[in-house]
Amino acid sequence: MLGIIRRRVASGGSYTSILRKSMQTVQPSVSASRVSGREILIHPRGLGHVRKFSHVILPGCSVGCQPKRDSISSTQQAINMQMWSRLFSSESGDLVDAVVPFMGESITDGTLAKFLKNPGDTVEVDEPIAQIETDKVTIDVASPEAGVIKELVAKEGETVEPGFKIAIISKSGEGVAHVAPSEKIPEKAASKSSPAEKMEEKPKPKVETAPVLEKQLKVPSPPPPKRSATEPQLPPKDRERRVPMTRLRKRVATRLKDSQNTFAMLTTFNEVDMTNLMKLRSDYKDAFVEKHGVKLGLMSGFVKAAVSGLQNQPIINAVIDGDDIIYRDYIDISIAVGTPKGLVVPVIRNADKMNFAEIEKEINTLSKKANDGSISIDEMAGGSFTISNGGVYGSLLSTPIINPPQSAILGMHSIVSRPMVVGGNVVPRPMMYIALTYDHRLIDGREAVFFLRRIKDVVEDPRRLLLDI
């Protein structure tokens, strides 16, 4: 039939006559009412490309040339509307999905640590409703719209990826039961059962011979074996608790073990007389706070001393990459911070260009973010050298582990008053042990000792920083 139509169109016939003759040729016995509902596909040869037209033939009328939208086109339109609909919106427009946000370029998934909201709770826009724990930080999942939590889709402890739906929010709150998920179903509702179930639950007649036979066949169990005097007495299992490791703890464990397996670590020690640095802080602490709005601590002095040491010994700031050595022309100091969730290491960028006040402000800001869990991935990325202050916990001496991909780490310890010989006299001095763990594949003992000696000289006499000596 299509071939007939194409030949007639090519010969210059009109569409109306062609269609009527074609329909009469194919189905001469079809009534007008039946023909009126039939659709015809026309492929005009004279056009540059094929077009599809749906025509309706009315009794006594000519064929119209306007396309008619049928059920297929309306279905396609509905699909397109869904594709272009607002993100997270349901078909009714009232339900909104809360999904896991983008967590960083180096983070592909996380663990749903806990929900901050329950079904039935009211939430505002951007209000946190759950926390995702990653290898580095804890990320909040915020509500995309204001409304009421309708359903929690995911479960705590489940591994989720960016875009994963964890909850459904109703913007109007209609049809949401304001009941926490931990609340149990009332006992009255649970006790209700159908008459058929009650018939099945009727107790069956007891057989009196079973207990008697069981007693006759019952054999007394042998007494438990006696423990020998040398056998260790292990504590009962009910006094132990098994708790899964957090993602942050697993990440820290992996990195530290990789560091131990990769680096040829060696630690060298020295001791520092803290008298002059402590006196400097005591003399200027009030004026420092008044001008800069932050307290003068000891960490800024050690950061400045580390910067001076790295500038004198650039190999400490370098790192091995395959068969090459990468020398860094910048100094980013990482500060190890212990938090309730684990160890994090925020970075002070361009520490060589900062003064005491700027360093103290940056340390305070990063420490607060680390403890409240709001620190970002970018604030912990990178770093060319690390300082770990175990002295805040009372550590007297330790051997810190290198934080890869760095090549060395400085360990600070507690300040203890010890008798020291000064000018031929034995006097009490506030002393601190310092330790430098370094990668012996790259750094020789000479450079390590010179670096640690520079730390000692600058801390014991901060005036060296002003004179650059």
Side-chain angles (χ1 to χ4, degrees):
M1 175 179 172
L2 296 180
I4 296 172
I5 296 175
R6 284 197 294 266
R7 287 194 296 270
R8 293 179 180 178
V9 170
S11 61
S14 64
Y15 281 116
T16 304
S17 60
I18 291 172
L19 289 174
R20 286 178 177 173
K21 292 180 181 179
S22 299
M23 292 301 299
Q24 291 174 1
T25 303
V26 177
Q27 292 182 343
S29 61
V30 178
S31 62
S33 61
R34 186 173 177 180
V35 173
S36 64
R38 189 171 184 83
E39 295 179 0
I40 301 172
L41 182 64
I42 302 177
H43 294 266
R45 179 175 294 179
L47 299 180
H49 57 277
V50 178
R51 296 180 182 176
K52 292 183 180 180
F53 293 88
S54 295
H55 300 276
V56 177
I57 306 175
L58 300 178
C61 299
S62 62
V63 179
C65 293
Q66 295 296 331
K68 175 181 176 295
R69 299 182 183 271
D70 57 0
S71 59
I72 297 178
S73 62
S74 62
T75 304
Q76 183 66 30
Q77 182 182 8
I79 295 174
N80 293 335
M81 291 177 63
Q82 292 179 358
M83 292 176 60
W84 290 96
S85 61
R86 183 181 179 275
L87 189 61
F88 306 141
S89 295
S90 64
E91 295 181 0
S92 63
D94 178 61
L95 300 182
V96 182
D97 295 341
V99 302
V100 178
F102 176 71
M103 297 180 288
E105 295 182 358
S106 60
I107 300 178
T108 57
D109 58 13
T111 302
L112 180 55
K114 63 178 180 179
F115 280 103
L116 305 178
K117 298 291 183 179
N118 296 320
D121 291 350
T122 302
V123 294
E124 300 296 334
V125 179
D126 295 333
E127 182 179 358
I129 62 176
Q131 288 184 340
I132 306 297
E133 190 177 77
T134 67
D135 298 340
K136 299 180 179 180
V137 294
T138 300
I139 299 174
D140 291 334
V141 179
S143 173
E145 296 286 349
V148 179
I149 301 291
K150 180 180 181 181
E151 181 184 357
L152 300 180
V153 179
K155 298 179 180 179
E156 293 184 355
E158 187 176 355
T159 300
V160 295
E161 299 178 352
F164 189 89
K165 180 170 67 174
I166 65 170
I168 300 176
I169 300 172
S170 174
K171 291 187 287 186
S172 63
E174 296 179 357
V176 179
H178 296 264
V179 179
S182 60
E183 294 182 9
K184 298 181 178 180
I185 300 175
E187 296 182 359
K188 294 182 180 180
S191 62
K192 291 182 180 180
S193 59
S194 62
E197 293 176 350
K198 291 182 179 180
M199 293 292 291
E200 294 178 359
E201 294 175 358
K202 288 184 178 181
K204 297 181 180 180
K206 297 183 179 179
V207 180
E208 299 294 340
T209 59
V212 177
L213 183 61
E214 185 179 352
K215 290 181 181 179
Q216 293 177 355
L217 298 178
K218 189 174 183 180
V219 179
S221 59
K226 294 183 179 180
R227 295 178 180 271
S228 61
T230 58
E231 186 177 353
Q233 300 291 332
L234 299 177
K237 293 295 183 180
D238 57 356
R239 296 176 60 185
E240 298 177 350
R241 292 183 297 112
R242 182 181 293 271
V243 179
M245 294 176 64
T246 62
R247 294 180 67 95
L248 179 60
R249 174 53 57 192
K250 288 190 290 187
R251 180 62 174 170
V252 170
T254 302
R255 286 178 60 85
L256 292 180
K257 189 57 183 176
D258 290 344
S259 174
Q260 193 177 43
N261 295 338
T262 302
F263 299 121
M265 289 190 290
L266 184 63
T267 305
T268 183
F269 302 91
N270 212 321
E271 58 181 357
V272 178
D273 187 350
M274 301 292 295
T275 301
N276 291 331
L277 185 59
M278 294 176 66
K279 186 176 184 301
L280 177 68
R281 183 180 65 171
S282 176
D283 292 343
Y284 296 100
K285 61 179 181 180
D286 294 336
F288 193 86
V289 172
E290 183 178 355
K291 180 176 182 179
H292 301 291
V294 64
K295 293 182 179 180
L296 177 61
L298 299 178
M299 280 300 298
S300 57
F302 274 91
V303 170
K304 295 292 290 184
V307 168
S308 178
L310 293 173
Q311 291 173 339
N312 289 347
Q313 302 294 332
I315 193 65
I316 308 292
N317 202 44
V319 66
I320 293 178
D321 184 18
D323 296 332
D324 302 325
I325 299 176
I326 299 177
Y327 286 90
R328 301 183 176 106
D329 295 330
Y330 58 90
I331 298 178
D332 291 348
I333 303 294
S334 303
I335 305 296
V337 179
T339 68
K341 295 183 179 180
L343 180 67
V344 295
V345 190
V347 181
I348 302 176
R349 309 287 181 189
N350 300 317
D352 53 324
K353 300 178 182 179
M354 303 172 70
N355 56 30
F356 281 81
E358 292 171 340
I359 293 175
E360 289 291 349
K361 290 179 181 178
E362 188 69 10
I363 291 175
N364 288 346
T365 301
L366 295 175
S367 298
K368 291 179 180 178
K369 289 184 177 181
N371 284 287
D372 60 23
S374 61
I375 192 167
S376 65
I377 301 295
D378 295 337
E379 291 172 323
M380 295 188 296
S384 59
F385 184 78
T386 298
I387 299 178
S388 175
N389 186 8
V392 296
Y393 308 111
S395 174
L396 181 63
L397 196 62
S398 67
T399 56
I401 299 179
I402 299 173
N403 178 29
Q406 302 172 10
S407 298
I409 179 173
L410 176 67
M412 298 169 53
H413 301 91
S414 59
I415 301 173
V416 179
S417 181
R418 296 200 306 270
M420 303 296 295
V421 178
V422 179
N425 299 319
V426 178
V427 295
R429 290 284 189 171
M431 304 298 296
M432 174 193 290
Y433 288 117
I434 55 176
L436 178 70
T437 299
Y438 57 96
D439 185 2
H440 209 352
R441 301 177 303 164
L442 175 66
I443 305 169
D444 295 330
R446 174 180 176 274
E447 285 80 9
V449 172
F450 282 169
F451 174 83
L452 211 56
R453 182 68 190 185
R454 180 61 182 177
I455 298 288
K456 174 181 172 67
D457 292 341
V458 171
V459 172
E460 289 185 344
D461 189 2
R463 295 174 296 180
R464 289 176 175 269
L465 295 174
L466 298 176
L467 301 176
D468 192 20
I469 57 175

